Structures are given as C-alpha cells and as structure tokens.
Amino acid sequence: MLSSFKKGLQAGLTTTWTLGKVIFPITILIGILRHTPVIDWIVKLIAPLMALFGLPGEAAIPLVLGNLLNLYAGIAGILTLSLSVKSVFILAVMLSFSHNLLIESTVASRVGIKIWVIVLVRMGLALVSAAVINLVWHGGSETAQYGMISNQGAAPGSWGGIVLEAITKGALGVLQLAAIVIPLMVVIQYLKDYGFLNKLSKWLAPFTRLLGMRENTSMTLVAGLTIGLAYGAGVMIQAVKDDGVSKRDITLAFIFLVSCHAVVEDTLIFVPLGIPVWPLLLIRLLTAVLLTVIVARLWTGRNQSAGKDSKYETNYDSL
C-alpha cells in the first residue's frame, strides 16, 4: 500500500511539474499581454466569431491555447480574464469537447482512427454545444469567481506591479492544479495496483454492448474514461492489441471518448473556475452516449443493407 502511495505521489508531482511548466509561463505571458495593445487587437479581430456563441472576443485566447496545447493551458487563459459564469461555462464545455487536438488526435491515429474524423467530431461538438447553450441558457450573467484567484481590483500602476500580479496568478494556478492532480494520481495508482481497473472493465461490458460495441472494447473505454486520451494512450493501445478489438468497435470507442474522457479529472479541474460542474459532466456523458449509439446504428444499418459481414477486423501489428 505504501509503495502504491509513493508511486502515485511521484506520478502526481511529475505531472504537476510537467503541466505547471505550461500553466505558469502562459499565465504570466497573458497576464502581461493584457496590459498591451496585443490583446485588444486579437479581440477586435475575432470578436464577431465569438459573438455567435455569446462570448466576448478575448474568449478566443483560452480556446486557442486549449486546442493547440492542452486543457490546462486553456484554463490558464481563463484565469487571466474577467468573464461571466455563463461565458466560463460555455468555454468549459467547448474545451471539454475540444482540447489538446494535436496530441490526442495523434493518439487516435495510433489505434487506426483517421485524424480528420476525430478533429471533425470534437470541433463540431464544441461549436454546436456552445451555440445551443448560448440560446437556451439566459442566466449566469454574474462574474465568475476563480477560487483563490481574484479577478477584482484596480490595475497595477507600473510594469513591476503588472509582472508581480501575473506571477502571483501563475503560482496560484499551479497550486490549485497540484491540489487536484496529486491526489488523483495517487487514487489512479491504487486502482492500477489492486486490479480495480480490470474489474471496472468487466463491470462496463454490458454498457459497451448498449453502445453497439463488443465486450472486448471495455478496457479501452475504462482507460479513456479514467485516465484520458493522452495519459491513457499506452493502456488503450495495449488493450487494442491484447483484446483484438475490431476497427468498427475501436472507432466507436474513440467517438465516445473524444466526447467524454478523463471524466473525473476534466470535471474537477473546472471547480476553481466557479461554474456548475455537474451539468458539464452530464452534457459530456449524454452527448457521448447519444452520438455513439447513433453512429453504431447507422454503421450497422449501412453494412447490413450492403450485405456485408458484421465483423470488422483490423491489424494492429504496426502500432
């Protein structure tokens, strides 16, 4: 038990260091740029597009950071902006569907999924969900409160004050990250060492059948749901090899996972942003289930009408 705790703690510290190296400098950079003409120029350029989703122009900053880098970079961008609860919630939903596109799309290609399919699904979900939320939710106009990080107060009167404010926000952002990531990695380590991930895979087998996949896809779903696409890449690739998952089933699994992966971590990290996280989780889960079931039914119907065999095998020797 102590060994698992040490390994989990080490993994948590390593992850915090790795991600902190992204959050800290980006928070400082954006915090400084806010006091220069650069941000105003970006806002004016992209404001018309953001307005389609009920967002201010500066909301493009966390979206770009989150999609090109990772979810933590996107959150670092949000921490430097003064936004309404509704705006932060819309950004959270968009980033939940569409973040870390470069790395996670590459992961998908490693198990035989076309990159353009994953990118199209994730970007489409982000844009459609933002538009729908903006239309149906008429509340959330109050300013979001970012946990330990205050977005109130007068602007610093000197460049020294500006830099100090940016460094303070960056440091607090890393501290909040550590408070979530380190305990999470310890729990995941225990789940690995005591075989709970394997048990969870067996329990999840009926759910995979409901989604139109065979039971041997369950381990891939467990890895993606608990650890995420990037962190769980090795587990998922190995599960595909060991369990002989068909191309059809792994495609359906990834359609589900790009909509809803790392459900614990990707939900909890939004808590400090002062938004309701339960609706965020439910939106991801319901979207993932409905989208996967629809694609599975359409895929089966298409191949039945074409008179094709219902088994879809693929070769993963090149992985």
Side-chain angles (χ1 to χ4, degrees), residues 2-3 7 9 38 58 64 86 96 137 145 152 156 160 189 194 197 204 210-212 225 228 235 240 294 300 302 319:
L2 182 59
S3 175
K7 288 190 291 185
L9 179 61
V38 174
E58 59 186 357
V64 171
K86 180 178 178 179
S96 294
W137 188 19
Q145 301 298 321
Q152 304 296 323
Q189 190 64 50
Y194 288 89
L197 284 184
L204 200 60
L210 175 66
L211 294 175
L225 281 169
V235 177
V240 168
I294 290 172
T300 301
R302 184 193 66 184
L319 293 178

Side-chain angles (χ1 to χ4, degrees), residues 120-141:
L120 180 63
V121 170
R122 300 186 72 183
M123 293 298 296
L125 289 175
L127 297 176
V128 171
S129 63
V132 171
I133 293 170
N134 182 45
L135 289 174
V136 302
W137 188 19
H138 302 293
S141 60

Side-chain angles (χ1 to χ4, degrees), residues 10-27:
Q10 180 62 44
L13 291 172
T14 301
T15 302
T16 299
W17 171 250
T18 300
L19 300 175
K21 289 188 294 185
V22 174
I23 287 184
F24 189 67
I26 288 177
T27 303

Side-chain angles (χ1 to χ4, degrees), residues 5 28 43 59 62 76 85 92 105 124 143 173 218 247 303:
F5 177 79
I28 293 176
V43 168
V85 171
S105 298
T143 302
S218 58
K247 184 175 181 179
N303 284 281

Side-chain angles (χ1 to χ4, degrees), residues 30-147:
I30 296 177
I32 294 174
L33 288 178
R34 286 186 62 201
H35 300 278
T36 71
V38 174
I39 298 299
D40 290 336
W41 180 79
I42 295 176
V43 168
K44 291 179 181 178
L45 182 66
I46 310 181
L49 178 61
M50 293 294 97
L52 295 176
F53 311 112
L55 297 171
E58 59 186 357
I61 297 170
L63 284 179
V64 171
L65 292 174
N67 280 281
L68 293 183
L69 296 173
N70 52 49
L71 196 55
Y72 299 93
I75 291 175
I78 293 176
L79 293 178
T80 64
L81 305 176
S82 179
L83 300 170
S84 68
V85 171
K86 180 178 178 179
S87 293
V88 175
F89 184 78
I90 291 175
L91 285 173
V93 173
M94 294 182 76
L95 289 172
S96 294
F97 285 132
S98 175
H99 61 265
N100 204 7
L101 283 178
L102 298 178
I103 294 176
E104 294 185 350
S105 298
T106 302
V107 169
S109 69
R110 291 288 290 164
V111 292
I113 313 299
K114 295 183 183 300
I115 291 180
W116 69 267
V117 173
I118 301 300
V119 173
L120 180 63
V121 170
R122 300 186 72 183
M123 293 298 296
L125 289 175
L127 297 176
V128 171
S129 63
V132 171
I133 293 170
N134 182 45
L135 289 174
V136 302
W137 188 19
H138 302 293
S141 60
E142 64 274 16
T143 302
Q145 301 298 321
Y146 302 143

Side-chain angles (χ1 to χ4, degrees), residues 111-113 212-214 216-217 240 243-253 295-316:
V111 292
I113 313 299
M213 295 173 276
R214 289 180 291 181
N216 62 352
T217 318
V240 168
D243 300 336
V245 181
S246 69
K247 184 175 181 179
R248 174 184 182 276
D249 287 346
I250 196 61
T251 301
L252 292 175
V295 174
R297 298 297 183 269
L298 291 175
W299 193 325
T300 301
R302 184 193 66 184
N303 284 281
Q304 285 178 345
S305 64
K308 294 182 180 180
D309 192 282
S310 60
K311 294 182 181 179
Y312 302 86
E313 302 300 331
T314 190
N315 183 5
Y316 296 102

